[in-house]
Amino acid sequence: MTHDTLFTYRPIGILRSPYARRIDAPHQGTVVEGTETGEPALATLELHEWLDESAIRDLGGFDRLWLIFAFHLSEGWKSRVKPPRGGPKRGVLATRAPHRPNAIGLSAVELVAVEGRTLHLRGVDLLDGTPVLDIKPYVPYADAFPDARAGWIDEVDAEQGRHSAPGPRNPR
């Protein structure tokens, strides 16, 4: 494999959320201050017909899922970006900016229910129509590292307080 090898992915489903535009969505699914309701958003993930429904069997017992998705409205990228919490520009790979070398995102969401081919979710920060490439169960013993350092974000937290990430730019 060389550095210019290309990969093609087929979405497993489409996410339906109340967020039509980037300015409507929170920067993180759990940071909802400034959104219309001030509550974590409800959404659905409708699986495509080509995906065998048995692929989601046994998801019902999980509280959270990782969604791997495509930033389908992202146009281009820059190596340095300005984070929404302020401060200097940062290397894009040290941020969660949607404009990335590969427009792929990762979001931990709450699984509310599984109903046929539809997953009911809460706490999304994804736009309506987002193509979901894969789902992985959130496994607390493997996925949570509460004592992990967060680089420059720890410095911002010390200045602005933890969880000070802004809501949408133009609250509704």
Side-chain angles (χ1 to χ4, degrees):
M1 215 180 288
T2 66
H3 68 277
D4 57 352
T5 300
L6 298 178
F7 298 93
T8 302
Y9 296 99
R10 182 179 187 189
I12 63 169
I14 299 295
L15 187 103
R16 297 293 170 203
S17 86
Y19 305 127
R21 304 170 304 161
R22 281 183 47 213
I23 63 170
D24 296 330
H27 290 96
Q28 304 296 323
T30 57
V31 182
V32 293
E33 184 178 338
T35 60
E36 186 173 17
T37 65
E39 297 291 325
L42 295 174
T44 58
L45 173 55
E46 301 165 4
L47 298 176
H48 287 311
E49 290 297 321
W50 67 264
L51 186 68
D52 185 336
E53 194 173 318
S54 67
I56 59 170
R57 188 178 303 147
D58 304 313
L59 272 184
F62 289 90
D63 283 342
R64 296 195 159 270
L65 303 174
W66 289 110
L67 300 183
I68 297 108
F69 61 92
F71 283 110
H72 65 297
L73 300 179
S74 181
E75 297 177 359
W77 69 281
K78 294 181 180 175
S79 59
R80 296 182 52 79
V81 297
K82 189 118 172 110
R85 292 174 71 186
K89 284 187 174 187
R90 306 286 181 173
V92 70
L93 298 181
T95 74
R96 294 185 172 195
H99 304 291
R100 315 183 68 72
N102 290 301
I104 296 170
L106 175 70
S107 191
V109 300
E110 182 183 349
L111 177 62
V112 176
V114 178
E115 186 178 326
R117 306 181 67 73
T118 302
L119 303 181
H120 296 270
L121 309 170
R122 182 177 15 244
V124 301
D125 53 357
L126 308 177
L127 300 182
D128 188 55
T130 296
V132 174
L133 305 175
D134 203 353
I135 299 167
K136 297 197 183 289
Y138 178 91
V139 180
Y141 80 84
D143 294 341
F145 301 93
D147 298 326
R149 292 181 299 132
W152 64 268
I153 294 172
D154 286 340
E155 296 169 19
V156 173
D157 284 348
E159 291 174 15
Q160 299 179 12
R162 273 192 81 157
H163 310 294
S164 65
R169 285 191 206 128
N170 297 323
R172 296 193 263 165

